[in-house]
Amino acid sequence: MPLYLYNTLSRKREEFIPTKPGEAGFYGCGPTVYNYAHIGNLRAYVTHDILTRVLRERGIKVNHVMNITDVGHLSGDNDSGEDKMVKSAAERGKTVLEIADFYTQSFFDDMDQMNILRPSVVCKATEHIPEMIALIRRIEENGYTYNAGGNLYFDISRFERYGDLAMLRMKELRAGARTGVDENKRNPGDFVLWFTRGKFENQALVWDSPWGRGYPGWHIECSAMSIKYLGEQFDIHAGGIDHIPIHHTNEIAQSEGATGKHPWVRYWVHNEFLVLDREKMSKSEGKFLTLQSLMERGYDPLDYRYFLIGGHYRNQLQFSWESLESARNSRKSLLSRIRSLAASVSETMPLGVPGISGGPGEADQKRQNARLLAFDEAMDDDLSTPRALAELWGLLRNNDISPPMILQGVLYMDRVLGLKLRNALTEEQEEGDPKFAAEIEELIDRRAAAKAKRDFTLADEIRDELNRRGVVIEDTKTGTVWRCSHRGTENSL
Ligand code: AMP
Ligand code: ZN
């Protein structure tokens, strides 16, 4: 079944067909690193992660690019308010770069703890100023800009398709409320491409440009960096729904205004908000929960991941401690169910390799396949993680499927869900556990014997079985070395 994604641009579910077969260019807006990521932000990155994992499982090579905003993002997305980075640095008595480094590091710590895969490219705004300037020049040459009060603005009235993504009407945009709007703007919806002057006299980071010494507006970085790493047209762009009316709308105007190519991006994927006490969780309003604050209350970051994927990314999700608690309990019973299945496998079929030691038969395999298919269908249906989770539970509770086949299926599903379920199989079976070590050593001996007989198919099957049991092996001159994949220590045979 093909993968369907809801495309904000068409307001429809559409089959995902990459421009280049077998490859997808994917840009997800990254964090503004002036503070810790809040748990709402993490919802956006888990959504990007699930999407990447599904595409990969469908055999698509994903080129995933994420920006780090370390300059130019004002507290209002429409150029109002103060520079978030400058304000945070002043409050904490640090330089902007110190603040950026600190919160970038903490962001990646959060990503790792939530088992979010690292994007293929992570790019910082401050390291791409020449690319931004070059893109702004193209926009200017194409006649979309004007200079006023020392700043360079994008004139939205010159870009015919302006607002299509958000289904905004140009008439309304022109007539929009002017209160608090920068007096230099011809239309309230116009936005800054390059600041040289304004209210930010104390701007810490400034660069030379054809429009004078200054710094970029916030939106241009995403256009410049995505085009640099993914080309002038690419497949998917993602972010939270708050970005639809301003940030992504402006990104489209800039990118298409510069290149003249339409559509710049084919699929727009937006996650709904995580809300706290029925309010939007907002980093700039200072009222938010971090991953660390959940951990301080004894929750595992993966409990939170479980909680998130229990909701569909396009539905608003209400955070409460009770629902996090129930996610934790579900994850715990998931792990204990997996452990007891694993224990039954090692007691009754120590080698449990399908097809090697009289393993499960064809009917068993068929029943497992049906479950995996239902799981895939759920994910193909606009990433329906709640249904996929239900399929995972369905597989675990199915008494007609043999334990090795269930475990194999669980590990398959977890490649997409990213709950680190493999750890349940290995965490109690350390290298130091003599029974476990003896089983592993026996498998390694059998693999060596298979290789000696040049039966490489069997040797590969045994290596896969070792991997499934959380063991990685390495053939060295002095023999095969193994270790549990969640540990750093090594055992030599
Ligand atoms: P920011 O660091 O503010 O630029 O936001 C990073 C990402 O988090 C963006 O994709 C936002 O749209 C998204 N986001 C912000 N707040 C929330 C929230 N409460 N729930 C879900 N996503 C959010
Ligand atoms: Zn962006």
Side-chain angles (χ1 to χ4, degrees):
M1 197 183 119
L3 168 64
Y4 282 86
L5 294 174
Y6 181 86
N7 187 354
T8 307
L9 201 53
S10 62
R11 301 292 197 274
K12 283 194 194 104
R13 273 164 89 259
E14 287 180 30
E15 181 179 342
F16 176 70
I17 305 171
T19 326
K20 269 197 220 153
E23 274 182 45
F26 168 34
Y27 186 88
C29 289
T32 306
V33 284
Y34 68 103
N35 204 335
Y36 294 106
H38 61 58
I39 59 171
N41 299 136
L42 294 175
R43 183 177 198 200
Y45 305 114
V46 166
T47 305
H48 302 181
D49 185 53
I50 295 278
L51 175 57
T52 306
R53 287 170 182 264
V54 169
L55 291 167
R56 284 191 186 171
E57 282 306 312
R58 305 295 175 266
I60 297 172
K61 182 175 169 284
V62 186
N63 196 3
H64 176 192
V65 178
M66 186 180 81
N67 64 307
I68 300 282
T69 300
D70 50 3
V71 66
H73 194 174
L74 310 187
S75 55
D77 287 352
N78 58 352
D79 307 324
S80 63
E82 293 174 85
D83 183 298
K84 295 185 181 189
M85 297 294 305
V86 173
K87 183 167 177 253
S88 169
E91 281 168 4
R92 292 166 172 80
K94 302 264 187 226
T95 67
V96 167
L97 287 179
E98 282 168 346
I99 290 291
D101 281 351
F102 179 82
Y103 290 114
T104 303
Q105 188 51 50
S106 98
F107 172 73
F108 282 114
D109 290 346
D110 287 355
M111 298 267 285
D112 292 346
Q113 300 197 75
M114 300 244 348
N115 200 24
I116 295 172
L117 301 171
R118 293 279 177 112
S120 344
V121 176
V122 174
C123 38
K124 291 183 183 175
T126 48
E127 290 172 3
H128 293 78
I129 303 293
E131 286 86 348
M132 294 187 217
I133 292 177
L135 197 71
I136 300 175
R137 288 199 78 141
R138 291 174 74 183
I139 301 171
E140 190 177 35
E141 279 158 18
N142 291 343
Y144 293 106
T145 63
Y146 61 91
N147 233 300
N151 301 327
L152 188 74
Y153 293 86
F154 188 102
D155 183 346
I156 63 164
S157 67
R158 302 228 181 127
F159 185 73
E160 211 180 296
R161 289 183 299 275
Y162 189 85
D164 280 3
L165 177 73
M167 299 195 165
L168 303 170
R169 292 217 198 95
M170 185 59 78
K171 244 170 131 187
E172 290 163 15
L173 284 169
R174 286 207 207 169
R178 287 220 66 123
T179 22
V181 171
D182 175 351
E183 282 306 313
N184 296 312
K185 290 188 180 181
R186 293 184 188 161
N187 311 288
D190 291 351
F191 56 93
V192 176
L193 293 167
W194 191 265
F195 288 101
T196 62
R197 247 181 296 135
K199 43 197 164 178
F200 318 112
E201 303 306 338
N202 59 347
Q203 187 68 23
L205 300 172
V206 282
W207 293 265
D208 287 326
S209 86
W211 312 281
R213 203 163 164 72
Y215 55 99
W218 173 45
H219 315 291
I220 194 71
E221 68 177 82
C222 288
S223 293
M225 293 194 276
S226 60
I227 288 175
K228 170 167 179 176
Y229 295 106
L230 298 172
E232 293 190 351
Q233 289 180 293
F234 59 92
D235 298 297
I236 308 174
H237 196 315
I241 48 155
D242 55 326
H243 286 341
I244 301 172
I246 301 176
H247 183 50
H248 289 165
T249 289
N250 292 351
E251 281 187 35
I252 293 174
Q254 296 166 153
S255 306
E256 298 189 4
T259 66
K261 290 183 186 158
H262 171 71
W264 171 48
V265 171
R266 294 170 59 226
Y267 302 86
W268 286 88
V269 174
H270 288 104
N271 64 278
E272 246 292 357
F273 263 50
L274 176 86
V275 290
L276 189 59
D277 303 328
R278 309 209 181 282
E279 274 172 47
K280 170 178 138 166
M281 186 173 298
S282 160
K283 199 155 59 170
S284 48
E285 281 161 34
K287 204 178 76 178
F288 64 86
L289 289 171
T290 59
L291 190 62
Q292 196 58 40
S293 61
L294 306 194
M295 289 161 69
E296 276 158 18
R297 291 230 199 164
Y299 292 97
D300 186 305
L302 294 173
D303 294 332
Y304 183 54
R305 184 173 176 110
Y306 189 98
F307 164 78
L308 287 178
I309 63 179
H312 187 264
Y313 78 96
R314 285 201 303 113
N315 291 334
Q316 208 176 70
L317 190 59
Q318 172 83 41
F319 178 83
S320 70
W321 293 105
E322 296 75 50
S323 36
L324 184 61
E325 183 65 26
S326 102
R328 165 164 57 189
N329 292 336
S330 304
R331 198 178 72 89
K332 263 194 191 159
S333 37
L334 194 61
L335 295 178
S336 77
R337 175 90 189 127
I338 293 170
R339 272 187 213 114
S340 64
L341 279 168
S344 78
V345 171
S346 37
E347 274 156 29
T348 56
M349 300 176 228
L351 297 181
V353 183
I356 295 185
S357 49
E362 213 175 297
D364 196 21
Q365 178 117 41
K366 267 195 178 150
R367 284 189 287 267
Q368 184 221 41
N369 269 343
R371 282 284 172 193
L372 300 189
L373 207 64
F375 176 87
D376 283 348
E377 277 172 8
M379 296 309 297
D380 284 344
D381 181 10
D382 193 26
L383 314 177
S384 181
T385 48
R387 261 173 57 205
L389 260 188
E391 289 303 333
L392 169 65
W393 275 108
L395 174 67
L396 276 169
R397 289 186 176 128
N398 194 323
N399 294 326
D400 295 335
I401 304 176
S402 69
M405 281 308 235
I406 293 183
L407 291 176
Q408 197 191 55
V410 164
L411 294 183
Y412 168 80
M413 292 178 178
D414 199 39
R415 287 215 296 268
V416 168
L417 299 176
L419 291 167
K420 286 196 176 175
L421 299 178
R422 180 185 292 282
N423 285 1
L425 298 177
T426 53
E427 64 199 10
E428 289 177 347
Q429 297 178 328
E430 309 288 14
E431 289 92 336
D433 174 345
K435 184 166 166 275
F436 179 67
E439 283 167 18
I440 298 304
E441 283 160 27
E442 191 188 343
L443 277 170
I444 287 177
D445 285 348
R446 289 186 58 184
R447 179 171 167 269
K451 277 172 78 176
K453 280 195 256 160
R454 307 192 67 74
D455 186 348
F456 295 112
T457 316
L458 178 61
D460 285 349
E461 278 178 33
I462 298 174
R463 192 201 48 223
D464 291 346
E465 165 67 2
L466 286 161
N467 291 346
R468 270 195 293 277
R469 301 182 77 170
V471 168
V472 275
I473 54 172
E474 199 188 324
D475 295 321
T476 69
K477 277 193 195 136
T478 51
T480 302
V481 175
W482 67 275
R483 65 183 162 80
C484 285
S485 56
H486 66 294
R487 305 221 128 213
T489 53
E490 292 205 336
N491 289 272
S492 221
L493 283 180

